[in-house]
Every structure is written in structure tokens, then in C-alpha cells.
């Protein structure tokens, strides 16, 4: 499973990229608003993220109609070769995804909450589909179970004839809130988990690693002082 960082914060992206295991970034309008982003500064901000990451960077189209989404999608895709256009899973989004995919523009279908939505996203030519885990948990439903069903359904079919040529659709486990979510997403076969920076850090850390490291350092001091 690959790790994407779920943020629009340049410092977080730069730091996570330096760890050597980052495969991509996902942003959304809320994440961009959280860092105080402006409308005028958005294209340049996406360009800067794309320059920091060796991998796909999802930037979200906010239009409501297929024409608006297609226009935005083309503009976003022109910002950098690694831009992926994030499109909401809805009728106008599906229609726009088909047009963009036919032009070779990669789409990440977002706000996906069911197997039928994921299958339609795949059929419309999406390069990625993003089931949201945490938002199900927020309403006391099992987000991991939904993710598992979506991974199974997508894996059961061949979508190679409907997407960007030569590339298969990948499932991004999104709305990830904990390292436990990451474990579960990996075990059920999600291709990618997109995680906030604090969760990525928690994925690296383990109390037994810290305790073991402290003990090794202490014992090595005995060796060097002997
Ligand atoms: C990523 O693609 C999603 O936009 C993001 O994971 C949503 O996360 P949230 O439910 O924590 O806002």
C-alpha cells in the first residue's frame, strides 16, 4: 500500500517527502482554507505542492455542472504533469470524469461512500476512487467495512478499457483518522491510504521502538565508556 499525505500545508509536505516514503498528496477545499489559502493563490500553491512531491497531487474542482468541472479540470491538469483532478461522485462529476479521462486527464473521484458509487466512478474512467472511512465512523457506521466492500468490488472487475490508457484504477482509503485505520486499510487491500500529517507521524512511532532505542543507546554508552 502506498502513502499519500492529506494536506495542503507545504511545510508538512516538505517534511513528509523528506522521509522517503511519500507517494502522493491529496488536497481539498477545506484543507486549502485551513492553511489560509486564497483564490488567487490557488494555482501557484498547487504548482508548489507538485514540485515537492514525486507522485500524483489531487486538486479539487469545485464546479457544479459537468461543463464547469471539465473546464476547471483542464485548467488544473495544465498546472503540472502530476496533477490529478479531484471530482465529487455525483451525476455531473461522472459525466465530467468521462470527458476528462477521454482526454488523458487523471481523475480522483472523491466523496465516495458506497459500492455502486465506486463502480460508477470506475466505469466513468476515474484513475482513483476515494472511499471516506472516518466520516462513516462519525455517524456511527463502519467506514472500514464500507472500504472493504469497495476494494472487493473494484478488484472483481477489469476497468482497463474505460480509464486512462495503460493504467488501472486504484482505491485510495481517505478520511483516515488513525494508525489503526491505516492497518485495516492495508490488510483489506486498499492500494493507497491518504493520511493527515499527525497520523503519518503516528504510523512511524511505536513506544516499543522508542524504549528499545533508549535501551540500546544506554548500553552503547557502557561499551564506549568501558
Ligand atoms: C481526501 O481525499 C479527503 O478529502 C479527505 O481524506 C477527507 O478527510 P476528512 O473526512 O477527515 O475531512
Amino acid at each position: 500500500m502506498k502513502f499519500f499525505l492529506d494536506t495542503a500545508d507545504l511545510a508538512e509536505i516538505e517534511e513528509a517527502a523528506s522521509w522517503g516514503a511519500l507517494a502522493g498528496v491529496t488536497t481539498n477545499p477545506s484543507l486549502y482554507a485551513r492553511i489560509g489559502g486564497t483564490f488567487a493563490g490557488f494555482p501557484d500553491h498547487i504548482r508548489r505542492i507538485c514540485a515537492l512531491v514525486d507522485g500524483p497531487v489531487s486538486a479539487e474542482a469545485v464546479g457544479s455542472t459537468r461543463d464547469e468541472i471539465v473546464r476547471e479540470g483542464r485548467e488544473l491538469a495544465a498546472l503540472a504533469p502530476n496533477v490529478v483532478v479531484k471530482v465529487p461522485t455525483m451525476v455531473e462529476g461522472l459525466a465530467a470524469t468521462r470527458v476528462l479521462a477521454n482526454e488523458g486527464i487523471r481523475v480522483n473521484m472523491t466523496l465516495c461512500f458506497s459500492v455502486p458509487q465506486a463502480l460508477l466512478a470506475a466505469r466513468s474512467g476515474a484513475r482513483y476512487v476515494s472511499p471516506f472511512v472516518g466520516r462513516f465512523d462519525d455517524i456511527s457506521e463502519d467506514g472500514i467495512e464500507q472500504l472493504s466492500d469497495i476494494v472487493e468490488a473494484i478488484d472483481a472487475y477489469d476497468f482497463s478499457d474505460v480509464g486512462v490508457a495503460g493504467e488501472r484504477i486504484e482505491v485510495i482509503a481517505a478520511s483516515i483518522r488513525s494508525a489503526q485505520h491505516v492497518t485495516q486499510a492495508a490488510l483489506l487491500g486498499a492500494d493507497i491510504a491518504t493520511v493527515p500529517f499527525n497520523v503519518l507521524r503516528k504510523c512511524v512511532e511505536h513506544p516499543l521502538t522508542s524504549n528499545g532505542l533508549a535501551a540500546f543507546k544506554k548500553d552503547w554508552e557502557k561499551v564506549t565508556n568501558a
Side-chain angles (χ1 to χ4, degrees), residues 147-160:
L147 174 65
S148 177
D149 287 349
I150 288 170
V151 168
E152 193 179 333
I154 293 291
D155 284 352
Y157 299 97
D158 177 12
F159 298 101
S160 58

Side-chain angles (χ1 to χ4, degrees), residues 2-6 13 21-26 53-58 194:
K2 289 176 274 192
F3 284 87
F4 285 6
L5 197 63
D6 198 23
I13 295 165
L22 189 65
V25 166
T26 51
V53 184
D54 185 14
V57 173
S58 290
T194 189

Side-chain angles (χ1 to χ4, degrees), residues 6 26 28 86 132 135 174-175 177 194:
D6 198 23
T26 51
N28 65 35
K86 229 174 174 194
F132 279 32
R135 292 193 193 189
S175 189
R177 305 276 165 76
T194 189

Side-chain angles (χ1 to χ4, degrees), residues 54-209:
D54 185 14
V57 173
S58 290
E60 192 150 340
V62 294
S64 303
T65 68
R66 64 192 72 186
D67 290 346
E68 287 167 357
I69 297 169
V70 167
R71 191 179 63 248
E72 274 180 83
R74 288 174 182 149
E75 286 169 7
L76 290 168
L79 293 175
N82 51 338
V83 164
V84 170
V85 181
K86 229 174 174 194
V87 176
T89 311
M90 58 182 188
V91 168
E92 294 303 298
L94 290 173
T97 296
R98 167 50 53 214
V99 175
L100 293 169
N102 285 351
E103 295 176 11
I105 294 174
R106 294 175 184 83
V107 169
N108 172 3
M109 286 223 90
T110 188
L111 289 166
C112 176
F113 293 94
S114 74
V115 169
Q117 283 184 317
L119 292 171
L120 287 166
R123 279 279 146 218
S124 72
R127 175 64 179 77
Y128 303 93
V129 62
S130 291
F132 279 32
V133 173
R135 292 193 193 189
F136 262 121
D137 295 356
D138 291 345
I139 58 163
S140 302
E141 290 193 31
D142 190 341
I144 288 294
E145 194 180 318
Q146 292 288 342
L147 174 65
S148 177
D149 287 349
I150 288 170
V151 168
E152 193 179 333
I154 293 291
D155 284 352
Y157 299 97
D158 177 12
F159 298 101
S160 58
D161 56 328
V162 288
V164 173
E167 298 183 6
R168 76 167 183 88
I169 185 168
E170 291 180 285
V171 176
I172 304 178
S175 189
I176 292 288
R177 305 276 165 76
S178 65
Q180 175 68 4
H181 274 163
V182 173
T183 302
Q184 291 168 307
L187 292 178
L188 62 81
D191 299 291
I192 297 152
T194 189
V195 302
F197 185 75
N198 68 318
V199 173
L200 188 67
R201 189 178 280 286
K202 282 185 184 143
C203 288
V204 181
E205 292 166 354
H206 195 284
L208 292 178
T209 305

